[in-house]
Amino acid sequence: MFCENCGTELENNAAFCTNCGAKTDVVVNIATPANFVQQIKAINVSEFLKSKGKFVAIVAGVVLVLALIIANSSDPMDKGLDKMETAIVRMEKLQKKSNDNKIDQATFLSEYTKIMKEINEAQKLIDGYDDSEISPEQWQRFLNLTQRMYQLN
């Protein structure tokens, strides 16, 4: 994953860029520790309710459920589509800089090469996926990203 503001490579779960501090727009995929589910089960809900109140407990429960959903949504197709979208956004920004004459040719070529490698890596993830397992939403997202890529040329 790369910062859409400055292009710095980020960890997949980064909420902010470590270089410029910009907030990332990519959905965070949380890699759960092996004992995460056990930690959730170990929470004493009744003690928590007594000490913090029902509202806080409800909010905490919703957050935990969402964390579990996000943690378990590490579909390879979605990862490939996420990588593809990040690369396309970077390419769109690079193209805009080039069109506005805000980037020299050597920098453009260097960035272009990096982004094309990212697109190829994403394409490998997507190509390795069985078409029969792709959801309609994933197909639509793939088609939208493909259309955006063709508009770049």
Side-chain angles (χ1 to χ4, degrees):
M1 178 167 106
F2 292 85
C3 176
E4 293 178 13
N5 187 47
C6 70
T8 300
E9 187 168 4
L10 305 172
E11 291 186 16
N12 285 338
N13 62 350
F16 296 93
C17 176
T18 54
N19 183 48
C20 70
K23 185 175 184 238
T24 61
D25 292 333
V26 179
V27 175
V28 176
N29 289 323
I30 301 170
T32 58
N35 62 353
F36 184 68
V37 174
Q38 287 80 14
Q39 290 173 1
I40 291 171
K41 290 178 181 177
I43 295 173
N44 187 332
V45 177
S46 62
E47 287 298 317
F48 187 78
L49 286 172
K50 289 177 187 173
S51 66
K52 301 294 181 185
K54 289 182 181 180
F55 177 76
V56 175
I58 291 170
V59 171
V62 169
V63 169
L64 290 174
V65 168
L66 289 175
L68 286 172
I69 290 170
I70 291 170
N72 291 324
S73 66
S74 58
D75 185 322
M77 180 68 170
D78 287 331
K79 284 182 181 180
L81 292 171
D82 288 345
K83 283 184 174 220
M84 180 74 73
E85 186 166 19
T86 300
I88 290 171
V89 167
R90 288 188 61 225
M91 186 66 82
E92 290 168 342
K93 288 182 178 186
L94 181 65
Q95 188 175 41
K96 180 166 178 20
K97 284 181 184 178
S98 177
N99 291 343
D100 295 343
N101 295 319
K102 293 184 177 180
I103 190 169
D104 62 88
Q105 186 176 7
T107 305
F108 175 85
L109 290 174
S110 172
E111 288 300 310
Y112 180 86
T113 302
K114 290 177 191 174
I115 294 169
M116 288 308 297
K117 285 180 183 177
E118 294 167 24
I119 290 173
N120 287 333
E121 289 172 10
Q123 191 65 46
K124 286 178 186 175
L125 283 171
I126 292 168
D127 287 346
Y129 210 81
D130 183 1
D131 289 354
S132 66
E133 297 175 2
I134 298 174
S135 72
E137 294 82 13
Q138 289 171 324
W139 270 115
Q140 187 60 52
R141 187 172 175 209
F142 176 75
L143 293 173
N144 291 341
L145 291 172
T146 303
Q147 182 180 18
R148 282 174 63 188
M149 269 189 34
Y150 282 116
Q151 289 172 351
L152 290 170
N153 296 328

